Amino acid sequence: MSLKVVNSIVSETLKQNANNLSGALIEPIHDDIHIKYNSVNVIVGKQNSGKTVIALQEIIKIGLLDTFHLLIYITKNGDENDRSFQSLKHLIKMPYITVSEKM
């Protein structure tokens, strides 16, 4: 069985069980937002390649929808020392808390 066949079978099975899975499927938040409901999103790249800015752009857009109530910003030590975050955090229109990954 090929990987594409597995993807197709899983997709079709989820569609058939849509009533039982209401709210559990990966769905778009908005056409202009590259993050989806019920998904894991990973941004990979070299240091200083713009990963934080890309993530913050999406977070800022999500905040403008006024449908989400809290951002949890996890850092190594629980501090906001990322320069991109410091520069753009005033544009985030939802409450946020910063916590240490060690919590």
Side-chain angles (χ1 to χ4, degrees), residues 15-28:
K15 285 179 188 176
Q16 291 172 359
N17 292 296
N19 291 337
N20 298 332
L21 298 169
S22 180
L25 295 176
I26 296 173
E27 298 176 350

Side-chain angles (χ1 to χ4, degrees), residues 23-75:
L25 295 176
I26 296 173
E27 298 176 350
I29 295 173
H30 187 277
D31 289 342
D32 295 327
I33 295 175
H34 297 111
I35 296 171
K36 299 189 183 315
Y37 287 112
N38 299 313
S39 65
V40 175
N41 299 273
V42 179
I43 302 170
V44 179
K46 294 179 182 178
Q47 200 169 14
N48 295 315
S49 63
K51 297 179 301 294
T52 301
V53 172
I54 289 169
L56 287 171
Q57 281 179 210
E58 299 306 306
I59 291 166
I60 292 164
K61 290 188 277 186
I62 289 170
L64 295 175
L65 297 176
D66 200 29
T67 56
F68 298 86
H69 67 279
L70 181 65
L71 167 67
I72 301 173
Y73 180 42
I74 302 170
T75 67

